[in-house]
């Protein structure tokens, strides 16, 4: 018996690990089917024909972080989001040369390499500098642009912050995963470098004096200065330790690299970036500066509310079903089902939801290439919710005195009838406030799926921030929207709670 208990305990501990191993292996196999391993079989990777595959499916999927003017950013056209910038024009030209349609996937900059390695995108065109470290995991095209690093500061500080040494002992922000984040750690050791995923969030921090300055690409810094009179940009004079900016492709994807180099050769020869595309991007910024107001982007907020409610409602339904199932499994006398339930609940509660969302989208998505970001987000949120709901339901069932079951059975009710008509109604009444709290938490936590590019409320807020060059006001509007949603939901839950009290 002791040996069995030890075996059971070992199974419980090892289950999450054993669960992850086959999934990881499958993810690796799925990834290798779209972009072979980085160096184990060069002849095999070099012989691929991704260009032909892209032409067959008819789309070129490009990953971008569209909050980086004038490289790539968003504007509104007839109430809809439009991606603009000189790298968007470059991506369109590349797709045109391939004879396919361009599909842009907008996500955080530090998620782009993961998306490329797992086959969620075909290429990265997002101001990515060529570095030795990045060359180990991706292949780069020829460079098409290069720029210096500039500091963006509050205009009132321009007399005391004049060079890199001025930031000694001060806080300098930078976007995660960029060349500038490396520059701060190597060239500015006495400065306190802090990184964030979104450039718009950094600008908010700068304006609220959480940062003394932001280190970013020269063109982007100048764009923010031109569109915000309270900001000032100047050359950092820091050494450029990386190559220029290029497209990134899966390791060994020579066919796409060669096709990209042909497009870049033509673009550089005709000087399209400096003569045509950057001026076009500047015109977008100037025209929208005149008519841009946060309230004019109400359709963005409306779209965000729609997707937030979709994620919440669907996740609540599946979360409740999963929670009920695993609660009963945990209460079961069957040791196999009991152990599975414990593993599921403890593993899901013991890992952050954001990690789960990214794993489902990038990990499972490497196997199921067609898995949409919205569906991946719903799956991850539902699984996470199910673990917490399971414990809530379990506690509710166990809160009912054993005498209730005995009384019902003595009256001739079956085990199923006792659970359905006696135990569960009383348990539901006891746990209703806790379930309501989980629902409200789920509504707010749906914002985490923005990390994989789902167009919920927080994602749309970030688009408004990057388009209007305003940071705090869009966040305030979003905060009010969330409050209205949660307050309305809490009133509805309170109404049904009162009905339950009245009935009993």
């Amino acid at each position: 018996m002791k040996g069995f208990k030890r075996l059971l305990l070992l199974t419980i501990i090892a289950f999450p690990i054993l669960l992850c191993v086959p999934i990881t292996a499958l993810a690796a196999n799925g990834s290798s089917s779209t972009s072979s391993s980085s160096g184990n079989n060069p002849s095999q990777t070099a012989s691929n024909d991704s260009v032909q595959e892209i032409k067959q499916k008819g789309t070129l999927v490009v990953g971008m972080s569209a909050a980086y003017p004038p490289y790539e950013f968003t504007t509104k056209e007839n109430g809809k989001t439009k991606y603009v910038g000189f790298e968007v024009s470059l991506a369109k030209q590349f797709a045109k040369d391939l004879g396919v349609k361009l599909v842009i996937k907008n996500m955080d900059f530090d998620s782009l390499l993961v998306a490329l390695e797992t086959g969620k995108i075909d290429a990265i065109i997002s101001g990515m500098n060529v570095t030795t470290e990045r060359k180990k995991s991706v292949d780069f095209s020829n460079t098409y642009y290069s720029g210096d690093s500039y500091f963006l500061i509050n205009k009132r500080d321009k007399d005391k912050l004049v060079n890199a040494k001025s930031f000694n002992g001060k806080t300098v922000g930078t976007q995660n995963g960029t060349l500038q984040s490396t520059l701060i750690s190597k060239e500015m050791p006495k400065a306190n470098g802090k990184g964030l995923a979104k450039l718009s969030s950094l600008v908010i921090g700068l304006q609220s004096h959480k940062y003394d300055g932001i280190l970013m690409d020269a063109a982007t810094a100048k764009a923010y200065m031109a569109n915000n009179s309270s900001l000032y940009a100047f050359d950092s004079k820091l050494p450029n330790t990386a190559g220029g900016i290029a497209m990134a492709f899966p390791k060994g994807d020579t066919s796409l690299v060669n096709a990209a180099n042909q497009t870049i050769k033509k673009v550089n020869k005709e000087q399209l970036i400096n003569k045509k595309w950057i001026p076009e991007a500047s015109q977008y910024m100037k025209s929208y500066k005149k008519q841009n107001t946060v309230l004019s982007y109400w359709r963005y907020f409306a779209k965000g509310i729609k997707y937030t409610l979709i994620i919440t409602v669907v996740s609540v339904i599946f979360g409740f079903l999963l929670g009920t199932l695993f609660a009963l499994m945990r209460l079961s006398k069957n040791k196999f089902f009991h152990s599975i339930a414990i593993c599921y609940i403890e593993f899901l509660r013991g890992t952050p939801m954001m990690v789960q969302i990214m794993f489902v989208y990038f990990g499972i998505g490497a196997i199921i290439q067609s898995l949409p970001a919205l569906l991946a987000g719903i799956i991850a949120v539902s699984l996470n919710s199910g673990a917490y709901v399971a414990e809530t339901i379990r506690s509710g069932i166990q809160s009912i005195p054993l005498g209730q079951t005995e009384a019902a059975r003595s009256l001739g009710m079956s085990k199923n009838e006792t659970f359905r008509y006696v135990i569960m109604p009383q348990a539901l009444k006891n746990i209703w406030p806790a379930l309501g709290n989980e629902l409200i938490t789920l509504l707010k936590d749906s914002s985490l799926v923005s990390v994989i590019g789902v167009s919920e409320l927080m994602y749309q807020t970030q688009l408004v921030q990057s388009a209007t060059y305003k940071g705090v006001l869009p966040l305030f509007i979003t905060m009010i929207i969330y409050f209205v949603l949660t307050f309305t939901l809490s009133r509805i839950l309170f109404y049904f709670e009162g009905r339950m009290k009245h009935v009993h």
Side-chain angles (χ1 to χ4, degrees):
M1 188 67 182
K2 290 183 178 179
F4 178 77
K5 288 182 178 179
R6 290 175 182 173
L7 180 62
L8 179 61
L9 181 61
L10 181 62
T11 303
I12 292 172
I13 297 172
F15 182 77
I17 301 174
L18 294 174
L19 182 67
C20 290
V21 169
I23 292 176
T24 307
L26 285 170
N29 291 335
S31 180
S32 63
S33 68
T34 55
S35 57
S36 301
S37 63
S38 58
N40 294 338
N41 194 346
S43 60
Q44 182 180 357
T45 58
S47 63
N48 69 5
D49 195 2
S50 297
V51 170
Q52 189 61 35
E53 293 175 4
I54 288 172
K55 288 183 177 180
Q56 288 177 352
K57 70 177 182 179
T59 57
L60 173 69
V61 184
V62 173
M64 290 183 173
S65 180
Y68 214 64
Y71 288 81
E72 57 268 347
F73 56 105
T74 58
T75 63
K76 61 183 175 69
E77 192 172 83
N78 298 323
K80 296 182 179 180
T81 301
K82 180 179 181 180
Y83 294 101
V84 295
F86 76 81
E87 283 191 320
V88 176
S89 300
L90 176 62
K92 289 179 178 178
Q93 183 65 52
F94 185 29
K96 181 180 178 182
D97 292 344
L98 292 174
V100 297
K101 180 182 177 182
L102 174 66
V103 175
I104 294 176
K105 285 199 174 182
N106 183 19
M107 59 184 68
D108 291 346
F109 187 84
D110 51 359
S111 297
L112 290 173
L113 287 174
V114 180
L116 185 67
E117 291 173 356
T118 54
K120 305 303 293 184
I121 56 177
D122 299 315
I124 298 173
I125 307 178
S126 189
M128 183 164 284
N129 291 91
V130 180
T131 65
T132 304
E133 291 78 11
R134 288 172 180 164
K135 280 184 176 180
K136 295 176 182 177
S137 56
V138 299
D139 282 344
F140 284 101
S141 68
N142 295 333
T143 59
Y144 53 83
Y145 190 75
S146 61
D148 297 324
S149 296
Y150 268 51
F151 284 114
L152 185 69
I153 62 174
N154 290 304
K155 198 168 188 178
R156 69 179 190 178
D157 296 331
K158 72 174 188 176
D159 292 331
K160 60 180 181 180
L161 297 175
V162 294
N163 53 39
K165 290 184 178 180
S166 304
F167 291 92
N168 288 348
K170 298 186 181 298
T171 303
V172 182
T174 184
Q175 190 176 21
N176 291 334
T178 60
L179 167 67
Q180 286 73 29
S181 63
T182 305
L183 279 176
I184 291 176
S185 60
K186 289 185 176 180
E187 304 295 334
M188 300 175 63
K190 295 183 180 180
N192 182 21
K194 287 188 177 181
L196 289 176
K198 291 288 185 181
L199 201 59
S200 56
S201 299
L202 288 168
V203 176
I204 295 172
L206 176 65
Q207 292 177 302
S208 59
H209 306 287
K210 302 297 183 184
Y211 302 97
D212 296 290
I214 305 172
L215 188 63
M216 61 178 71
D217 179 82
T220 307
K222 291 175 182 177
Y224 271 99
M225 181 177 68
N227 287 275
N228 193 322
S229 59
S230 66
L231 300 177
Y232 178 74
F234 65 93
D235 192 347
S236 69
K237 301 292 179 67
L238 292 174
N240 191 342
T241 57
I245 293 170
M247 302 182 195
F249 300 95
K251 196 70 177 175
D253 201 342
T254 53
S255 61
L256 264 180
V257 171
N258 292 335
N261 287 338
Q262 293 178 9
T263 297
I264 292 170
K265 182 179 179 181
K266 178 172 65 175
V267 168
N268 288 341
K269 183 179 179 180
E270 298 178 12
Q271 298 183 21
L272 291 176
I273 292 178
N274 290 318
K275 288 187 175 180
K276 182 180 179 182
W277 292 339
I278 288 183
E280 286 178 353
S282 299
Q283 287 301 316
Y284 272 112
M285 288 186 286
K286 288 179 180 178
S287 62
Y288 275 87
K289 180 184 176 183
K290 295 178 181 178
Q291 56 184 349
N292 249 1
T293 61
V294 172
L295 293 178
S296 67
Y297 283 82
W298 66 269
R299 286 187 177 89
Y300 282 51
F301 293 108
K303 183 179 180 181
I305 293 171
K306 181 182 77 171
Y307 280 101
T308 294
L309 292 176
I310 289 173
I311 294 167
T312 302
V313 171
V314 177
S315 298
V316 162
I317 294 171
F318 285 100
F320 182 79
L321 294 175
L322 286 171
T324 304
L325 174 64
F326 281 99
L328 296 177
M329 288 174 64
R330 183 161 187 176
L331 292 170
S332 172
K333 293 181 180 180
N334 185 304
K335 294 181 178 179
F336 176 72
F337 290 133
H338 178 78
S339 300
I340 291 178
I342 290 178
C343 292
Y344 169 82
I345 292 168
E346 296 303 326
F347 186 73
L348 269 294
R349 292 200 309 169
T351 53
M353 187 189 291
M354 182 176 288
V355 176
Q356 295 166 14
I357 291 169
M358 296 184 72
F359 179 78
V360 171
Y361 184 60
F362 294 120
I364 308 301
I367 306 169
I368 309 173
Q369 292 292 322
S370 59
L371 182 66
L374 177 60
L375 180 57
I378 290 174
I379 291 172
V381 175
S382 299
L383 290 173
N384 183 276
S385 176
Y388 287 92
V389 171
E391 286 298 272
T392 302
I393 293 176
R394 179 183 67 85
S395 65
I397 293 173
Q398 290 181 329
S399 70
I400 306 302
L402 186 61
Q404 296 278 344
T405 302
E406 294 173 347
R409 297 302 300 273
S410 67
L411 292 173
M413 298 179 70
S414 67
K415 189 175 181 180
N416 289 336
E417 288 175 336
T418 300
F419 179 80
R420 181 179 177 184
Y421 296 111
V422 178
I423 304 300
M424 202 58 189
Q426 294 183 76
L428 186 61
K429 174 177 173 289
N430 292 342
I431 64 176
W432 186 256
L435 287 176
N437 186 59
E438 171 63 20
L439 177 56
I440 291 172
T441 301
L442 198 64
L443 175 64
K444 294 183 291 184
D445 286 349
S446 64
S447 62
L448 294 174
V449 300
S450 64
V451 73
I452 58 173
V454 178
S455 301
E456 50 71 63
L457 189 54
M458 196 61 210
Y459 179 90
Q460 294 295 328
T461 302
Q462 293 167 347
L463 291 183
V464 175
Q465 287 175 321
S466 63
T468 61
Y469 301 94
K470 294 177 177 66
V472 178
L473 184 56
L475 284 178
F476 178 75
I477 293 174
T478 301
M479 185 169 60
I480 296 299
I481 292 172
Y482 271 118
F483 173 75
V484 171
L485 292 175
T486 55
F487 182 78
T488 303
L489 183 58
S490 65
R491 293 299 93 191
I492 294 172
L493 293 169
F494 184 76
Y495 169 77
F496 284 105
E497 183 179 349
R499 291 289 299 271
M500 287 181 183
K501 290 180 179 178
H502 178 72
V503 170
H504 293 280

